[in-house]
Every structure is written in C-alpha cells, then in structure tokens.
Amino acid sequence: MPGGPPEPTVQPGNRLDRVEIQSRPQSDTDLRRRSPVAKQIYGREEIDKYGDQNVADVLKRLPGVNMQDGAPRMRGLGAGYTLILINGDPAPPGFALDQLNPAQVERIEVTKGPSADQSAQAVAGAINIILKEAPRTSQRDLRLALGYSVQRPVPSATFTFGERIGPVSLAVPVSAFEWRGRNEFVIERFAPGTDEYRSPSRAIQRQQQAFWGHGFNTSPRLSWKLSDEQTLTLQGFAQRGYWNNRNRFDDQILLGEPSLDDDSHNNGTWQVLRGNANWVNRFADSQRIELKAGVQDAQNRFTNRSFRNDVIWRLSEGENHDRNFTQSGKYARLLGEEHSLTVGWDLEWRKRDEERSVTENGRPQLAGIEGLPFTARIERQAFFVQDEWELSPQWSTYLGLRTERIATVSRGSEVASRSTSRVTTPLWHLNYKLDPKGRDLIRASLTRSYKAPDLNALLARPGINGLFPLLDKDNKPQRNEEQYPDRIGNPLLKPELATGLDLAFEKYLEGGGLVSVGVFHRRVNNLIRNVSTLEEVSWSTLPRWVSRPVNFSKAKTSGLELELKGRAGELMPALFEPRLALNLRAALSFYKSDVEAVQGPNNRLDSQQPWSGNFGLDYRLSSLPLLTGVSLVYTPGYTTQQTVSQSLEQSRSRSLDVFAQWSFSRTASLRLSANNLAPFDTRSTTMLADTGYGSSTERSTRTWFGAALELKL
C-alpha cells in the first residue's frame, strides 16, 4: 500500500497477539497461513484481475465456489448453506452481490468451517466480504468502464475518495452502473393438457428474455482514533436500482391442448440502506472490548404483467419491506502466554412485511387474500465463548461454543403461527505445524452448524400455479400428481442441523505459492425439501395439489478438495524458468451426497454436482507493460433423483474469461476483458418416471465484453 507499512491493528475476531512491526504488508497467503481456522483470502490484486462489473463474477472463479441464480454456493450445496457476511456480520436481506462493484471491496475471505464469534449458519462455509477500508493517505481513484453483451454498450463508473485528517480517516466509494443482456431458451413439454380429460400434450416454446436496468451504491467508511486505546468506526451502505425483464414466446403445438407460458413484462425497484457503528477499546495490553450496533431498511417493489393476444390478462403487484436492528459485543483477554479467551453476544430483531395482489382479467385471483399484508418477525439471541490456545510452538487449537435462540412469528390470512428453535454449536479447530516455520500445516475441524429456513419459506401465503390457474378446476393432471402444484409456506419449519468434519494439508512454498489437499464430511438432520399433497384448501372449492417445504429427511455429504497456486517456476521447476512471470491457479473438487428418504442412484442433495474444476493463469510480458490472463470454470452434467418418481438432469456448464491490462504508468491503466467467452448452451430436464411426462429447457447465453480505464488521481 502507498505510504509505507500498515499500522498495527486488531481486526474483529482475531486473536490478541503481540504486535509485530513488519517491513511490508502481509500477503494473502501469509494471512491465510496464520489464520487459526481454515481460510482462503483474496485481496485487491485477485479481485481486480478480470475487470469484473460485480462481485458475483469475482466469486465464480474462487476455488470451491460456484454461482447459481445470483447466489454463491460452496461445496456444491444449494442456497442457504453458504453464509454471506459483510465485514463479519450476516448480509442484510435484499443484499445483491451482482450489484456490488468490486472496487468497493478490500478483500474476500472464504472460511470452510464456522467460528463461534460469527453466525453458525454456515453448513458449507462462509464468505466474508470486507468493504473498502479507510485509507492511511489521500486517495482519489476513478474507474470508467463500458460493457457490451447485446443491443448497445452500457456504462459504469466508480469513484473512491479517501482522506486522512489527523485521527480521522474517511473513504467514500460511489458506483453507478447499468446492465443489459439477453438469454434465449427452448422449452419443450410433454405433459397433461388443458382439456377436460387432461389428455397428453406436447409443445415447444422458443423464448427470448431481455433484461436491463441501472442503479448505484456507496459504502462510506469513517475511522476515528479517539485515543491510543479507543477507535470508533462508522460504516454505511446504500444501494438502489431499477430492473426490467421482458419475455416473448413463439409457440409450436405438436399434440393436444398444452399449458403454455405467456408473454410478460416485469419491472421493479430495490433499495437497501444500512448503517453500522463499531467501538473498540484496547484498555490494556492483554484486554480488549468491542461493541457493535447496526440498523437496516430494505425494500423492493415489483409489477409483473402477463399478456394474451397483446392484452394484459394477469397483473401482479407487490412490495416487500425488511427492517432489522442488530447489537453485538465481545470481550477478549490474554491468559498468560498460551490462551486468548473471548466471550460475547449477538442480538437481532427483524421484521418483514409483504403485500401482493394478483388479478386475472381485472378480478382478484384469490378473493379474501389478495392485497392483505403478510408479516413475519424474527428475534435471534446468540451467546458464545472461544479460546485460542497455543499448546506448543507446533500445536495450536481453537475451542468454541455458541448457542442461538431463534423465535419466529408469522401472520397472514390465517391465525398467527409461532415457532421457537434453539441451536447449540460446539466448535473445535486443531492446527499442527510439520516444520517450525509453519510452511507445512495440517488442519482439522469438528463443528456443528445449521441452516435456518428462509423467511419466504415461513410465510403461509399461497401462490397459484401459473399453468393451472383456474380455481374452479383441480390441478391434478391425469396420471400425474406432483408436477403442477400450488405453493405455500410452512411457519413450523425447523432449522437443518449439520455435524461436520474437515481435514486439510497445506504446504506453503518459499516464493508465496501453496498446495492444499482437504476432505470434508457433513451429516444433516431435518433436511428441508418441498413435498406435494392433495388438500382441501381455502382458495378453491375443489381439492388442490399443494407444495410446501417440510423437514423431509436426513442426508450426508462428503468431498475432496485440491488447490494449488503460485509461480509456474516454483510449482513446476522442471518445466518453467524460476523467473518466468507466469502465475498458475488450479482447483479440483469432488462431491458425493445421499438423501436418506430417496432411493439411489443419484439421490444427491439438490444442485450438488459430482465434481467441478477451475484453472487460471496470468502472464506479465517482460518487453511490454502488459498483463494477460485466462480463467476456466467447468462443471459436468449430472442427474438428481429429487423424489421417488421425479428426477432432474443438468447438462455440463463452462465459464471462460480472459483479460489484458496495459499499464501506461503507475497511475493509469486500461483493462480489456471478455467474460463467458464462447459459451456453452445448457440444458435441464425434469422427468416423471411413473408417467413418462417431463419438460426440458435449453438455455443460450451471450459473452460480456468490457473495457475499463483506471486512474489514480
């Protein structure tokens, strides 16, 4: 960093080590090696390489992380198993990673197991996004970019202002962005038709999906050194945007009277406002107290229009509003030379209000329900204690215990439902240095973690199946009972509980490279899945098939994870010259899982691929101020047996990214990039073995080209 070595600081959650003045900042690899728990750290250099427009594109290249539906997933596990943290605190509702500019991020930390001082909702692991820190010198950075995927280029810009005045440091990054893209789909269905007898039907729909929008975000940060012992940090975050999604279909009916998707135009807004205060008092060489408080308000509005014969026949409008307040604190103390003891608490109050109305041909779809508010309240209290213990120069261990109570009250068209759950999570991490310098390291962890139900899964508001919307008829196709159910939440859901074991060997090379081999195993109780049943319902005079989330079964998952990175000459000295400016990165992961209530084969957890791999390199030319690189992420095709009769087949997927950066000087550079180069078409197929009915969707995406001018003013 400019301005010399960093000042000694104590980051939240770190051990109270004695301060060591170093001649240069620690590298990402150094920070990873010294961490008391297994952790991968990616700083500014790794984040900036490909000139990404958003943090989601950065995450998809990290080992063991893949993106699906805009959310990061670790170890192949589905949504909700990966904990997303912002500066060490759980990300707020409505937080959009694909709308956060990488220029606002200081570093990204990926942790494979939970720690007591952070939420234990990390069955697969946690991703901690550290926002831009206040600078130690003046900073004026400007990034101007153009991106193109379809129709026309779209601009974006980020300006970071940083200043230090006496004991006060201020950083204000501001980003404005726009996006525009197009996907193409071919949807084929062989299913019951809409005639009175639900005779078999077959149809092909070709869909063009156009999406566009714009927004801005900012994350100002102020650090005030009140005294030699006390520091106050204020962190804000504001994000607002507007989005549009338009779908057009060309229909080809091959048999019978099929149910088809309608043309639609959907649009809306989202907004997130957040403020946090953090006070640290290191009132003795061996003691420290930290207090935090945060408030947040997130809301989004949407309008969805479905067309038939160019006339609106269905109109959906709604608004979701989340508010929460958090307060936490911890006290840390060194006990002699070996122990660092920390005790603390986390408190959260959260409320979600949802309003929605659906009209068909001007009439409410659900009379007596449309327009009524649905509300959920969550209270969470957590208390923890942890001890980082230096057993010897080679052995160290981390012991933690965290207990959480979660109380939920949800209210809709029916009587209010209440649910209370308690989760106690013991944690044990053990490290052994094979050599005194710690360059060969063995890590082991035995932990308990959990996955809490999403608020949308708790709200008992019904949603009518779009392919069978007529409520004076049933949605029970002949010979097929589970394909087109209505949907409703379940306020009585319990958290999924997981017991996990992790083992890893890490070898840190002299030149900064590393090689890592790890295995993991998780046993999951109270697994949540959607189950369909035929019920008497309040929104129809006829029984309807209804899908709701339930605590379905037990499951287990295991995996093997390989990773290496460093200079090519250090990793493979027989093939490359030691001074060759070529850096290599590679990761390969294998996964296996079993859901107890579903017979195999392929009774894996939802969305967990059998293996995945990524490879990357970057090369700096010696004759020109040019840095180039390429990254490849690949996932094979696989099949998931979701129920006794229903299976889902996913095709292979690939993401190929390239970049080139020309440095005009130390303060100016131009970066060209192409993400998702030469994309594969992907295909997903759902089949019902007992009927032969099914559907498939083939998706075609486009390459994103980008150019960015980066200036340090």
Side-chain angles (χ1 to χ4, degrees), residues 85 189 228 238 294 500 533 614 667 701:
L85 301 169
R189 295 188 181 96
D228 290 340
T533 56
N614 59 33
T667 60
T701 59

Side-chain angles (χ1 to χ4, degrees), residues 271-304:
Q271 176 179 288
V272 178
L273 301 174
R274 186 181 188 186
N276 291 85
N278 185 15
W279 175 72
V280 177
N281 185 358
R282 188 175 182 126
F283 51 87
D285 290 341
S286 61
Q287 299 180 65
R288 178 171 65 96
I289 189 170
E290 178 180 356
L291 297 176
K292 290 183 179 182
V295 294
Q296 186 224 283
D297 184 280
Q299 53 187 312
N300 66 77
R301 298 181 176 89
F302 63 88
T303 301
N304 301 337

